[in-house]
Coordinates of all heavy atoms in Angstrom, one line a residue:
M1 N -189.7 22.1 -120.4 CA -190.9 21.7 -119.6 C -190.9 20.3 -119.1 O -190.6 19.4 -119.9 CB -192.1 22.1 -120.4 CG -193.4 21.8 -119.8 SD -194.8 22.1 -120.9 CE -195.8 23.2 -119.9
T2 N -191.1 20.1 -117.9 CA -191.1 18.7 -117.3 C -192.5 18.2 -117.2 O -193.4 19.1 -116.8 CB -190.4 18.6 -116.0 OG1 -191.0 19.5 -115.1 CG2 -188.9 18.9 -116.1
P3 N -192.8 17.0 -117.5 CA -194.2 16.4 -117.2 C -194.6 16.7 -115.7 O -193.8 16.6 -114.8 CB -194.0 15.0 -117.5 CG -192.7 14.9 -118.3 CD -191.9 16.0 -117.9
A4 N -195.8 16.8 -115.4 CA -196.4 17.0 -114.1 C -196.1 15.8 -113.1 O -196.0 16.1 -112.0 CB -197.9 17.1 -114.3
D5 N -196.0 14.7 -113.8 CA -195.7 13.5 -112.9 C -194.2 13.1 -112.8 O -193.8 12.1 -112.3 CB -196.5 12.3 -113.3 CG -196.1 11.8 -114.7 OD1 -195.6 12.5 -115.5 OD2 -196.6 10.7 -115.1
H6 N -193.3 14.0 -113.1 CA -191.9 13.7 -113.1 C -191.3 14.4 -111.8 O -191.6 15.6 -111.7 CB -191.2 14.3 -114.4 CG -189.7 14.1 -114.4 ND1 -189.2 12.8 -114.6 CD2 -188.7 14.8 -114.1 CE1 -187.9 12.8 -114.5 NE2 -187.6 14.1 -114.2
V7 N -190.7 13.6 -111.0 CA -190.2 14.0 -109.8 C -188.7 14.1 -109.9 O -188.0 13.3 -110.3 CB -190.5 13.0 -108.7 CG1 -189.9 13.4 -107.4 CG2 -191.9 12.7 -108.5
E8 N -188.2 15.3 -109.5 CA -186.7 15.5 -109.5 C -186.3 15.9 -108.2 O -186.6 16.9 -107.5 CB -186.5 16.8 -110.4 CG -186.8 16.4 -111.9 CD -186.0 17.4 -112.7 OE1 -184.9 17.9 -112.4 OE2 -186.6 17.5 -113.9
L9 N -185.5 14.8 -107.6 CA -185.0 14.9 -106.3 C -183.5 14.6 -106.4 O -183.0 13.9 -107.2 CB -185.6 13.9 -105.3 CG -187.1 14.0 -105.0 CD1 -187.6 12.8 -104.2 CD2 -187.4 15.4 -104.3
T10 N -182.8 15.1 -105.4 CA -181.3 14.9 -105.3 C -181.1 13.6 -104.6 O -181.9 13.0 -104.0 CB -180.5 15.9 -104.6 OG1 -181.0 15.9 -103.2 CG2 -180.8 17.4 -105.0
R11 N -179.9 13.1 -104.7 CA -179.5 11.8 -104.0 C -179.7 12.0 -102.6 O -180.2 11.0 -102.0 CB -178.1 11.4 -104.4 CG -177.7 10.1 -103.8 CD -176.4 9.6 -104.3 NE -175.9 8.4 -103.6 CZ -175.0 7.7 -104.0 NH1 -174.3 7.9 -105.1 NH2 -174.6 6.7 -103.2
R12 N -179.4 13.0 -102.0 CA -179.5 13.4 -100.6 C -180.9 13.3 -100.2 O -181.3 12.7 -99.2 CB -178.9 14.6 -100.2 CG -179.1 15.0 -98.7 CD -178.5 16.2 -98.4 NE -177.1 15.9 -98.2 CZ -176.1 16.6 -98.0 NH1 -176.2 17.9 -98.0 NH2 -174.8 16.2 -97.7
E13 N -182.0 13.8 -101.0 CA -183.3 13.7 -100.8 C -183.8 12.2 -100.9 O -184.7 11.8 -100.0 CB -184.0 14.6 -101.7 CG -183.9 16.1 -101.5 CD -184.3 16.9 -102.5 OE1 -184.1 16.6 -103.7 OE2 -184.9 18.1 -102.2
F14 N -183.3 11.5 -101.9 CA -183.8 10.1 -102.0 C -183.3 9.3 -100.8 O -184.0 8.4 -100.2 CB -183.3 9.4 -103.2 CG -184.0 9.7 -104.4 CD1 -183.6 10.4 -105.5 CD2 -185.4 9.3 -104.5 CE1 -184.4 10.7 -106.7 CE2 -186.2 9.6 -105.7 CZ -185.8 10.3 -106.7
D15 N -182.0 9.6 -100.4 CA -181.4 9.0 -99.2 C -182.2 9.3 -97.9 O -182.7 8.4 -97.1 CB -179.9 9.4 -98.8 CG -179.0 8.5 -99.6 OD1 -179.4 7.2 -99.9 OD2 -177.9 9.0 -99.9
A16 N -182.8 10.5 -97.9 CA -183.5 10.8 -96.6 C -184.8 10.0 -96.6 O -185.3 9.7 -95.6 CB -183.8 12.4 -96.7
I17 N -185.5 9.9 -97.8 CA -186.8 9.3 -97.9 C -186.4 7.7 -97.5 O -187.3 7.1 -96.9 CB -187.5 9.4 -99.2 CG1 -187.7 10.8 -99.3 CG2 -188.7 8.6 -99.4 CD1 -188.2 11.4 -100.8
A18 N -185.4 7.3 -98.2 CA -185.0 5.9 -97.9 C -184.9 5.6 -96.4 O -185.4 4.6 -95.9 CB -183.8 5.6 -98.7
W19 N -184.1 6.4 -95.7 CA -184.0 6.2 -94.3 C -185.3 6.3 -93.5 O -185.5 5.6 -92.5 CB -182.9 7.1 -93.7 CG -181.5 6.7 -94.0 CD1 -180.7 7.0 -95.0 CD2 -180.9 5.5 -93.3 NE1 -179.6 6.2 -95.0 CE2 -179.6 5.3 -93.9 CE3 -181.2 4.8 -92.1 CZ2 -178.7 4.5 -93.3 CZ3 -180.3 3.9 -91.7 CH2 -179.1 3.6 -92.3
K20 N -186.2 7.2 -94.0 CA -187.4 7.3 -93.2 C -188.2 6.0 -93.4 O -188.9 5.4 -92.6 CB -188.3 8.5 -93.8 CG -187.8 9.9 -93.3 CD -188.5 11.0 -93.9 CE -187.9 12.3 -93.5 NZ -188.7 13.4 -94.2
F21 N -188.1 5.4 -94.7 CA -188.8 4.2 -95.0 C -188.2 3.1 -94.1 O -188.9 2.3 -93.5 CB -188.6 3.8 -96.5 CG -188.9 2.4 -96.7 CD1 -190.3 1.9 -96.8 CD2 -187.9 1.4 -96.9 CE1 -190.6 0.6 -97.0 CE2 -188.1 0.1 -97.1 CZ -189.5 -0.4 -97.1
L22 N -186.9 3.0 -94.1 CA -186.2 2.0 -93.3 C -186.5 2.1 -91.8 O -186.5 1.0 -91.1 CB -184.7 2.0 -93.4 CG -184.2 1.6 -94.9 CD1 -182.8 2.0 -95.2 CD2 -184.5 0.2 -95.1
R23 N -186.9 3.2 -91.3 CA -187.3 3.4 -89.9 C -188.9 3.0 -89.8 O -189.3 3.2 -88.5 CB -186.9 4.8 -89.4 CG -185.4 5.0 -89.3 CD -185.2 6.3 -88.7 NE -183.7 6.6 -88.5 CZ -182.9 7.2 -89.3 NH1 -183.5 7.7 -90.6 NH2 -181.7 7.3 -89.1
S24 N -189.5 2.9 -90.7 CA -191.0 2.8 -90.7 C -191.5 1.4 -90.5 O -190.6 0.4 -90.6 CB -191.7 3.3 -92.1 OG -191.5 2.3 -93.1
E25 N -192.7 1.3 -90.2 CA -193.4 -0.1 -90.0 C -193.3 -1.0 -91.2 O -193.3 -2.1 -91.2 CB -194.7 0.1 -89.4 CG -195.8 0.6 -90.5 CD -195.8 2.1 -90.6 OE1 -194.9 2.9 -90.0 OE2 -196.8 2.6 -91.2
F26 N -193.1 -0.3 -92.4 CA -193.2 -1.0 -93.7 C -191.9 -1.8 -93.9 O -191.7 -2.7 -94.8 CB -193.6 -0.1 -94.8 CG -194.8 0.4 -94.8 CD1 -195.2 1.6 -94.3 CD2 -195.9 -0.4 -95.1 CE1 -196.4 2.2 -94.2 CE2 -197.2 0.1 -95.0 CZ -197.5 1.3 -94.5
A27 N -190.9 -1.5 -93.2 CA -189.5 -2.2 -93.3 C -189.3 -3.2 -92.2 O -188.4 -3.9 -92.2 CB -188.3 -1.1 -93.2
G28 N -190.4 -3.3 -91.3 CA -190.2 -4.3 -90.2 C -190.8 -5.6 -90.5 O -191.2 -6.0 -91.7
Q29 N -190.7 -6.5 -89.5 CA -191.1 -7.9 -89.7 C -192.6 -8.1 -90.0 O -193.0 -9.1 -90.8 CB -190.8 -8.6 -88.3 CG -189.5 -8.9 -88.1 CD -188.7 -9.6 -89.3 OE1 -189.3 -10.7 -89.7 NE2 -187.6 -9.2 -89.8
I30 N -193.5 -7.0 -89.5 CA -195.0 -7.3 -89.9 C -195.1 -7.4 -91.4 O -196.1 -7.9 -91.7 CB -195.7 -6.2 -89.2 CG1 -197.2 -6.5 -89.2 CG2 -195.5 -4.8 -89.9 CD1 -198.0 -5.6 -88.3
H31 N -194.4 -6.7 -92.2 CA -194.6 -6.6 -93.7 C -193.4 -7.5 -94.3 O -193.3 -7.4 -95.6 CB -194.5 -5.2 -94.2 CG -195.7 -4.4 -93.6 ND1 -196.8 -4.9 -92.9 CD2 -195.9 -3.1 -93.8 CE1 -197.6 -3.9 -92.7 NE2 -197.2 -2.8 -93.1
A32 N -192.8 -8.4 -93.6 CA -191.6 -9.1 -94.2 C -192.0 -10.0 -95.4 O -191.2 -10.4 -96.2 CB -191.0 -10.0 -93.1
D33 N -193.3 -10.4 -95.5 CA -193.7 -11.3 -96.6 C -194.2 -10.5 -97.9 O -194.5 -11.0 -98.9 CB -194.8 -12.2 -96.1 CG -196.0 -11.5 -95.6 OD1 -196.0 -10.4 -95.1 OD2 -197.1 -12.2 -95.6
W34 N -194.2 -9.1 -97.8 CA -194.4 -8.3 -98.9 C -193.1 -8.1 -99.7 O -192.1 -7.9 -99.2 CB -194.9 -7.0 -98.5 CG -196.3 -6.9 -98.0 CD1 -196.9 -7.9 -97.4 CD2 -197.0 -5.8 -97.6 NE1 -198.1 -7.5 -96.9 CE2 -198.1 -6.1 -96.9 CE3 -196.8 -4.3 -97.9 CZ2 -199.3 -5.2 -96.6 CZ3 -197.7 -3.5 -97.4 CH2 -198.9 -3.9 -96.9
P35 N -193.2 -8.1 -101.1 CA -192.0 -7.7 -101.8 C -191.6 -6.3 -101.5 O -192.4 -5.4 -101.1 CB -192.5 -7.7 -103.3 CG -193.8 -8.5 -103.3 CD -194.3 -8.3 -101.9
I36 N -190.3 -5.9 -101.7 CA -189.8 -4.6 -101.2 C -190.5 -3.5 -101.9 O -190.7 -2.5 -101.4 CB -188.2 -4.6 -101.3 CG1 -187.7 -3.3 -100.8 CG2 -187.9 -4.7 -102.8 CD1 -187.7 -3.2 -99.2
D37 N -190.8 -3.6 -103.3 CA -191.4 -2.6 -104.0 C -192.8 -2.3 -103.5 O -193.3 -1.2 -103.5 CB -191.4 -2.8 -105.5 CG -192.1 -4.1 -105.9 OD1 -192.1 -5.1 -105.1 OD2 -192.6 -4.1 -107.1
R38 N -193.4 -3.4 -103.2 CA -194.9 -3.1 -102.5 C -194.8 -2.4 -101.2 O -195.6 -1.5 -100.8 CB -195.5 -4.4 -102.3 CG -197.0 -4.3 -101.8 CD -197.5 -5.7 -101.7 NE -199.0 -5.5 -101.1 CZ -199.6 -6.5 -100.4 NH1 -199.1 -7.6 -100.5 NH2 -200.7 -6.2 -99.8
R39 N -193.8 -2.7 -100.3 CA -193.6 -2.0 -99.1 C -193.3 -0.6 -99.4 O -193.9 0.3 -98.6 CB -192.3 -2.7 -98.4 CG -192.5 -4.1 -97.9 CD -191.2 -4.5 -97.4 NE -191.2 -5.7 -96.5 CZ -190.4 -6.1 -95.7 NH1 -189.3 -5.3 -95.6 NH2 -190.6 -7.1 -94.9
I40 N -192.4 -0.3 -100.3 CA -192.1 1.1 -100.6 C -193.3 1.9 -101.1 O -193.6 3.1 -100.7 CB -190.9 1.3 -101.6 CG1 -189.6 0.7 -100.8 CG2 -190.8 2.7 -102.0 CD1 -188.5 0.6 -101.8
D41 N -194.1 1.2 -102.0 CA -195.2 1.8 -102.5 C -196.2 2.2 -101.2 O -196.8 3.2 -101.2 CB -195.9 0.9 -103.5 CG -197.2 1.5 -104.1 OD1 -198.2 1.5 -103.5 OD2 -197.1 2.0 -105.2
A42 N -196.5 1.3 -100.4 CA -197.4 1.4 -99.3 C -196.8 2.5 -98.4 O -197.6 3.4 -97.9 CB -197.6 0.1 -98.5
Y43 N -195.5 2.5 -98.1 CA -195.0 3.6 -97.4 C -195.2 5.1 -98.0 O -195.7 6.0 -97.3 CB -193.5 3.5 -97.2 CG -192.9 4.7 -96.5 CD1 -192.8 4.9 -95.2 CD2 -192.2 5.6 -97.4 CE1 -192.2 6.0 -94.6 CE2 -191.7 6.7 -96.8 CZ -191.7 6.9 -95.4 OH -191.1 8.0 -94.8
L44 N -195.0 5.1 -99.3 CA -195.2 6.4 -99.9 C -196.7 6.7 -99.9 O -196.9 7.9 -99.8 CB -194.7 6.3 -101.4 CG -193.1 6.1 -101.5 CD1 -192.8 5.9 -103.0 CD2 -192.4 7.5 -101.0
Q45 N -197.6 5.9 -100.1 CA -199.0 6.1 -100.0 C -199.5 6.7 -98.6 O -200.3 7.5 -98.5 CB -199.9 4.9 -100.4 CG -199.7 4.4 -101.7 CD -200.2 5.3 -102.9 OE1 -201.1 6.2 -102.6 NE2 -199.7 5.2 -104.0
H46 N -198.8 6.2 -97.6 CA -199.2 6.6 -96.2 C -198.4 7.9 -95.7 O -199.0 8.7 -94.9 CB -198.9 5.4 -95.2 CG -200.0 4.3 -95.4 ND1 -199.9 3.3 -96.3 CD2 -201.1 4.2 -94.6 CE1 -200.8 2.5 -96.1 NE2 -201.7 3.1 -95.1
H47 N -197.1 7.9 -96.1 CA -196.2 8.9 -95.6 C -195.7 9.9 -96.6 O -195.0 10.9 -96.2 CB -195.1 8.3 -94.7 CG -195.6 7.4 -93.7 ND1 -196.2 7.8 -92.5 CD2 -195.6 6.1 -93.6 CE1 -196.4 6.9 -91.8 NE2 -196.1 5.7 -92.4
G48 N -195.9 9.6 -97.9 CA -195.4 10.5 -99.0 C -193.9 10.5 -99.2 O -193.2 9.8 -98.4
P49 N -193.4 11.3 -100.2 CA -194.3 11.8 -101.1 C -194.9 11.0 -102.2 O -194.1 10.1 -102.8 CB -193.2 12.9 -101.8 CG -191.9 12.2 -101.6 CD -192.1 11.5 -100.3
A50 N -196.1 10.8 -102.3 CA -196.9 10.0 -103.1 C -196.6 10.1 -104.6 O -196.9 9.1 -105.3 CB -198.4 10.0 -102.8
D51 N -196.2 11.2 -105.0 CA -195.9 11.5 -106.4 C -194.8 10.6 -106.9 O -194.7 10.3 -108.1 CB -195.7 12.9 -106.8 CG -194.7 13.7 -105.9 OD1 -194.4 13.1 -104.9 OD2 -194.2 14.6 -106.4
I52 N -194.0 10.0 -106.1 CA -192.9 9.1 -106.5 C -193.5 7.9 -107.0 O -192.9 7.3 -108.0 CB -191.9 8.9 -105.4 CG1 -191.1 10.2 -104.9 CG2 -190.9 7.8 -105.7 CD1 -190.2 10.0 -103.8
V53 N -194.5 7.4 -106.6 CA -195.2 6.1 -107.1 C -195.5 6.4 -108.4 O -195.5 5.2 -109.1 CB -196.6 5.9 -106.2 CG1 -197.2 4.7 -106.8 CG2 -196.1 5.8 -104.7
N54 N -195.9 7.4 -108.9 CA -196.4 7.5 -110.4 C -195.2 7.9 -111.3 O -195.4 8.0 -112.6 CB -197.3 8.7 -110.4 CG -198.7 8.2 -109.7 OD1 -199.1 7.1 -109.7 ND2 -199.3 9.3 -109.1
D55 N -194.0 8.0 -110.8 CA -192.8 8.3 -111.6 C -191.8 7.1 -111.6 O -191.1 7.0 -110.5 CB -192.2 9.6 -111.1 CG -191.0 9.9 -112.0 OD1 -190.3 9.2 -112.6 OD2 -190.6 11.2 -112.0
G56 N -191.8 6.3 -112.6 CA -191.0 5.1 -112.6 C -189.4 5.3 -112.3 O -188.9 4.6 -111.5
S57 N -189.0 6.5 -112.9 CA -187.6 6.7 -112.7 C -187.3 7.1 -111.2 O -186.4 6.6 -110.5 CB -187.2 7.8 -113.5 OG -187.2 7.5 -114.8
A58 N -188.3 7.9 -110.7 CA -188.0 8.3 -109.2 C -188.2 7.1 -108.4 O -187.4 7.0 -107.4 CB -189.0 9.5 -108.8
F59 N -189.3 6.3 -108.6 CA -189.3 5.1 -107.7 C -188.3 4.2 -107.7 O -187.8 3.7 -106.7 CB -190.7 4.3 -108.1 CG -191.1 3.3 -107.3 CD1 -192.0 3.6 -106.1 CD2 -190.6 1.9 -107.3 CE1 -192.4 2.6 -105.3 CE2 -191.0 0.9 -106.4 CZ -191.9 1.3 -105.4
N60 N -187.7 4.0 -109.0 CA -186.4 3.1 -109.1 C -185.3 3.7 -108.5 O -184.4 3.0 -107.7 CB -186.2 2.9 -110.5 CG -187.1 1.9 -111.2 OD1 -187.8 1.1 -110.5 ND2 -187.2 2.0 -112.4
A61 N -185.1 5.1 -108.4 CA -184.0 5.7 -107.6 C -184.3 5.5 -106.2 O -183.1 5.3 -105.5 CB -184.0 7.2 -108.1
L62 N -185.5 5.6 -105.7 CA -185.7 5.4 -104.3 C -185.4 3.9 -103.9 O -184.8 3.7 -102.8 CB -187.1 5.8 -104.0 CG -187.5 5.6 -102.5 CD1 -186.6 6.3 -101.5 CD2 -189.0 6.0 -102.3
L63 N -185.9 3.0 -104.7 CA -185.6 1.6 -104.5 C -184.1 1.4 -104.4 O -183.7 0.7 -103.4 CB -186.3 0.7 -105.7 CG -185.9 -0.8 -105.5 CD1 -186.4 -1.3 -104.2 CD2 -186.5 -1.4 -106.7
E64 N -183.3 2.0 -105.3 CA -181.8 1.8 -105.3 C -181.3 2.4 -104.0 O -180.4 1.7 -103.3 CB -181.3 2.6 -106.4 CG -179.8 2.6 -106.6 CD -179.3 3.3 -107.7 OE1 -179.8 3.1 -108.7 OE2 -178.4 4.2 -107.5
R65 N -181.8 3.5 -103.5 CA -181.3 4.1 -102.3 C -181.7 3.2 -101.1 O -181.0 3.2 -100.1 CB -181.7 5.6 -102.1 CG -181.3 6.5 -103.1 CD -179.8 6.3 -103.7 NE -178.9 6.4 -102.4 CZ -177.8 5.6 -102.4 NH1 -177.4 4.9 -103.5 NH2 -176.9 5.7 -101.3
V66 N -182.8 2.7 -101.0 CA -183.2 1.9 -99.9 C -182.4 0.6 -99.9 O -181.8 0.2 -98.8 CB -184.8 1.4 -100.1 CG1 -185.2 0.2 -99.2 CG2 -185.8 2.5 -99.9
M67 N -182.2 0.0 -101.1 CA -181.3 -1.2 -101.1 C -179.9 -0.9 -100.7 O -179.3 -1.7 -100.0 CB -181.3 -1.8 -102.5 CG -182.7 -2.3 -102.9 SD -183.4 -3.5 -101.9 CE -182.3 -4.9 -102.3
A68 N -179.4 0.2 -101.1 CA -178.0 0.6 -100.8 C -177.9 0.9 -99.3 O -176.7 0.8 -98.6 CB -177.6 1.8 -101.5
N69 N -179.0 1.2 -98.5 CA -178.9 1.5 -97.2 C -179.4 0.4 -96.2 O -179.3 0.6 -95.0 CB -179.7 2.8 -96.9 CG -179.0 4.0 -97.4 OD1 -177.8 4.3 -96.9 ND2 -179.5 4.7 -98.3
I70 N -179.8 -0.7 -96.7 CA -180.2 -1.8 -95.8 C -179.0 -2.2 -95.0 O -179.2 -2.5 -93.7 CB -180.8 -3.0 -96.7 CG1 -182.2 -2.5 -97.2 CG2 -180.9 -4.3 -95.8 CD1 -182.8 -3.6 -98.1
G71 N -177.8 -2.5 -95.6 CA -176.6 -2.9 -94.8 C -176.3 -1.9 -93.7 O -176.2 -2.4 -92.6
P72 N -176.2 -0.7 -94.0 CA -176.0 0.3 -92.9 C -177.0 0.4 -91.8 O -176.8 0.5 -90.7 CB -175.8 1.6 -93.6 CG -175.4 1.3 -95.0 CD -176.1 0.0 -95.3
A73 N -178.3 0.3 -92.2 CA -179.4 0.2 -91.3 C -179.3 -1.1 -90.4 O -179.7 -0.9 -89.2 CB -180.8 0.2 -92.1
L74 N -179.0 -2.1 -90.9 CA -178.7 -3.3 -90.1 C -177.6 -3.1 -89.1 O -177.7 -3.4 -87.9 CB -178.5 -4.5 -90.9 CG -179.7 -5.2 -91.6 CD1 -179.3 -6.1 -92.7 CD2 -180.6 -5.9 -90.6
R75 N -176.5 -2.6 -89.6 CA -175.4 -2.5 -88.7 C -175.7 -1.4 -87.7 O -175.0 -1.5 -86.6 CB -174.2 -2.0 -89.5 CG -173.6 -3.2 -90.3 CD -172.3 -2.7 -91.0 NE -172.4 -1.7 -92.0 CZ -172.7 -1.9 -93.4 NH1 -173.0 -3.1 -93.7 NH2 -172.8 -0.8 -94.2
N76 N -176.4 -0.4 -87.9 CA -176.7 0.7 -86.9 C -177.9 0.4 -86.1 O -178.2 1.1 -85.3 CB -177.1 2.1 -87.7 CG -175.9 2.6 -88.4 OD1 -174.7 2.3 -88.2 ND2 -176.1 3.4 -89.5
G77 N -178.5 -0.8 -86.3 CA -179.6 -1.2 -85.4 C -180.9 -0.6 -85.8 O -182.0 -0.8 -85.1
V78 N -181.1 0.2 -87.0 CA -182.2 0.7 -87.3 C -183.2 -0.4 -87.8 O -184.5 -0.4 -87.5 CB -182.0 1.7 -88.6 CG1 -183.4 2.1 -89.1 CG2 -181.2 2.9 -88.1
L79 N -182.7 -1.5 -88.4 CA -183.4 -2.6 -88.9 C -183.0 -3.8 -88.0 O -181.8 -4.0 -87.6 CB -183.1 -3.0 -90.3 CG -183.7 -2.2 -91.5 CD1 -183.2 -2.7 -92.8 CD2 -185.3 -2.1 -91.3
A80 N -184.0 -4.5 -87.6 CA -183.7 -5.9 -86.8 C -183.2 -6.8 -87.8 O -183.7 -6.9 -89.0 CB -184.9 -6.3 -86.1
P81 N -182.2 -7.7 -87.3 CA -181.8 -8.7 -88.3 C -183.0 -9.7 -88.7 O -183.9 -9.9 -87.8 CB -180.7 -9.5 -87.4 CG -180.4 -8.6 -86.4 CD -181.5 -7.7 -86.1
P82 N -183.0 -10.2 -89.8 CA -184.1 -11.2 -90.2 C -184.2 -12.4 -89.2 O -183.1 -12.9 -88.8 CB -183.9 -11.6 -91.6 CG -182.4 -11.2 -91.9 CD -181.9 -10.3 -90.9
T83 N -185.3 -12.9 -89.0 CA -185.4 -14.1 -88.1 C -185.8 -15.1 -88.9 O -186.5 -15.0 -90.0 CB -186.5 -13.9 -87.1 OG1 -187.8 -13.6 -87.7 CG2 -186.2 -12.8 -86.0
N84 N -185.4 -16.4 -88.8 CA -185.6 -17.6 -89.5 C -186.5 -18.4 -88.8 O -186.6 -18.6 -87.7 CB -184.3 -18.3 -89.9 CG -183.5 -17.4 -90.9 OD1 -184.0 -16.7 -91.5 ND2 -182.2 -17.7 -90.7

């Protein structure tokens, strides 16, 4: 029996959510001064699945997939390069 707040997603599902996040306003310059975990939390609260926020393991897995995909997102033009 799994706890009600335990989220079980595949790596492919975490990647899909990570890419949706990377394409969202929360990955853009408007929120650039927010820590990455706060950005992901806000994204999940607005666009779901919000149950990931309450599962530390799932949240960390999503954070890992977001971080792993930042480079490809920059190379593919999904994310704008940072401005100084």
Side-chain angles (χ1 to χ4, degrees):
M1 178 187 230
T2 59
D5 61 347
H6 183 70
V7 178
E8 292 201 26
L9 298 173
T10 65
R11 182 175 173 163
R12 177 174 276 167
E13 291 169 318
F14 279 117
D15 273 335
I17 297 167
W19 278 98
K20 288 177 186 175
F21 166 79
L22 290 168
R23 290 183 179 99
S24 78
E25 69 275 18
F26 295 100
Q29 290 298 316
I30 194 167
H31 297 352
D33 58 337
W34 291 14
I36 190 72
D37 59 332
R38 182 174 173 205
R39 291 171 162 202
I40 294 170
D41 184 278
Y43 170 81
L44 292 170
Q45 295 294 337
H46 285 87
H47 302 288
D51 52 341
I52 292 176
V53 174
N54 298 322
D55 183 336
S57 294
F59 190 89
N60 286 337
L62 177 57
L63 175 60
E64 179 182 305
R65 298 317 309 148
V66 167
M67 297 301 290
N69 286 298
I70 287 176
L74 284 166
R75 287 189 294 276
N76 294 339
V78 171
L79 288 177
T83 57
N84 293 330

